[in-house]
Amino acid sequence: MYSVSIIIPTLNEASSLKRTLRQLSVLEPSALEVLVVDGGSTDETVAIAQSYGVQVLSCDRSGRSVQMNHGAKSASGDILCFLHADTCVPDDLIAVIEQTLADSTVACGGFISLMSGQQTTRWGISLHNYLKTYYAPLLFRPHLFFKGLRLLFGDQVMFCRRADFWDCGGFDEALPIMEDGDLCLRLVKKGKIRQVNRIVQSSDRRVARWGSWKATAIYLYVGCLWGIGVSTSYLKRFYEDIR
C-alpha cells in the first residue's frame, strides 16, 4: 500500500477551498495528509484551511510551481497528488491513485476534467481538454507520444511517486504557466503518463469570465505556441489569474 500526500497551492481561494476540503475529509480510504501551501492570501483562505485541521504552509513566493515544490518538500507520502483549490474529486480518489501507480510502467496519472459552474456544464471545452491530452503530444512530441507521453494539466489532478518527482527535478519554478505539461515531458522518461477514465470536476470561472469562444481560442493559442517552444513568460500575458 502506498501513502498519498495531497498538495493544494492557494492564493485567495476562500470561495472554493471550503468545498474542496470538505470533500477531502470524507475520502475512503483517506489521504496520509493534506497540505495547503499558501502564497500570501489576503482573504479567508488560511483560516478556512486551519478550520479543517489540515497542514498549512506559508510560501515566501507565490506561483504555483514554487508552492507545489514547497509542499512536496514537506510531504511524507510515497505519492504526491497535486490538487487545485477549485477542483472536486471522487471519494475513492486514493484508491484510484494507488491502483494506477500499482503498474510499475506508469510514472504519472491524472483524471478527466469536467468543467462546470453553478448553472452550466462546459461540455464542449471539457471534451476538447480531454482530447488535448492525446493530440497535443502526438502533434508536438510524436516520438514521446509512442513512448507513453500524455500531456496532463493541473485541473486533471496530477499524481506521481515522490521519488520520480524529485528525480525529475520537480516543477520548474522559472515557469509562470505550463509547469504541469513541462513536468510530463520529464516524467515520461520514468514511465507512461496515464489519463485515468474517471472524472474530477473543475471550476469554469475562467471560461465564465472570458466566454467559451475566447477561452477556446486562448487555450489553443497558448498550447500551440508552447508546443513549438515559445517562452512561457510571453504566453503568461494571455493567461491572467482569475479568482
Side-chain angles (χ1 to χ4, degrees), residues 32-46:
L32 174 67
E33 58 191 353
V34 177
L35 299 93
V36 171
V37 188
D38 191 69
S41 294
T42 56
D43 63 4
E44 297 300 309
T45 295
V46 172

Side-chain angles (χ1 to χ4, degrees), residues 1-158:
M1 290 289 291
Y2 294 106
S3 55
V4 181
S5 297
I6 298 176
I7 298 166
I8 307 175
T10 59
L11 181 62
N12 295 329
E13 291 285 4
S15 62
S16 303
L17 186 60
K18 185 179 294 186
R19 181 184 183 191
T20 300
L21 292 179
R22 184 168 63 245
Q23 290 184 321
L24 294 182
S25 69
V26 297
L27 292 181
E28 181 58 44
S30 60
L32 174 67
E33 58 191 353
V34 177
L35 299 93
V36 171
V37 188
D38 191 69
S41 294
T42 56
D43 63 4
E44 297 300 309
T45 295
V46 172
I48 290 170
Q50 291 172 336
S51 73
Y52 276 84
V54 301
Q55 186 174 349
V56 181
L57 305 174
S58 296
C59 196
D60 293 337
R61 296 163 53 205
S62 63
R64 206 166 257 160
S65 294
V66 177
Q67 290 169 242
M68 290 189 292
N69 281 347
H70 187 63
K73 290 173 184 174
S74 298
S76 53
D78 304 311
I79 296 172
L80 305 177
C81 174
F82 299 97
L83 174 64
H84 287 185
D86 63 346
T87 298
C88 300
V89 299
D91 58 9
D92 61 344
L93 171 74
I94 303 302
V96 174
I97 291 174
E98 290 176 341
Q99 290 165 11
T100 302
L101 292 181
D103 182 345
S104 61
T105 68
V106 175
C108 177
F111 294 77
I112 299 168
S113 175
L114 185 64
M115 190 177 293
S116 63
Q118 291 183 343
Q119 298 181 347
T120 186
T121 300
R122 309 285 181 175
W123 296 107
I125 289 180
S126 298
L127 175 60
H128 175 243
N129 288 342
Y130 167 77
L131 295 174
K132 181 171 60 179
T133 295
Y134 300 96
Y135 81 69
L138 181 59
L139 285 175
F140 298 111
R141 301 291 190 279
H143 62 295
L144 293 177
F145 176 85
F146 293 104
K147 292 183 178 180
L149 175 64
R150 305 294 182 263
L151 279 181
L152 300 172
F153 299 91
D155 57 6
Q156 291 175 270
V157 190
M158 293 175 62

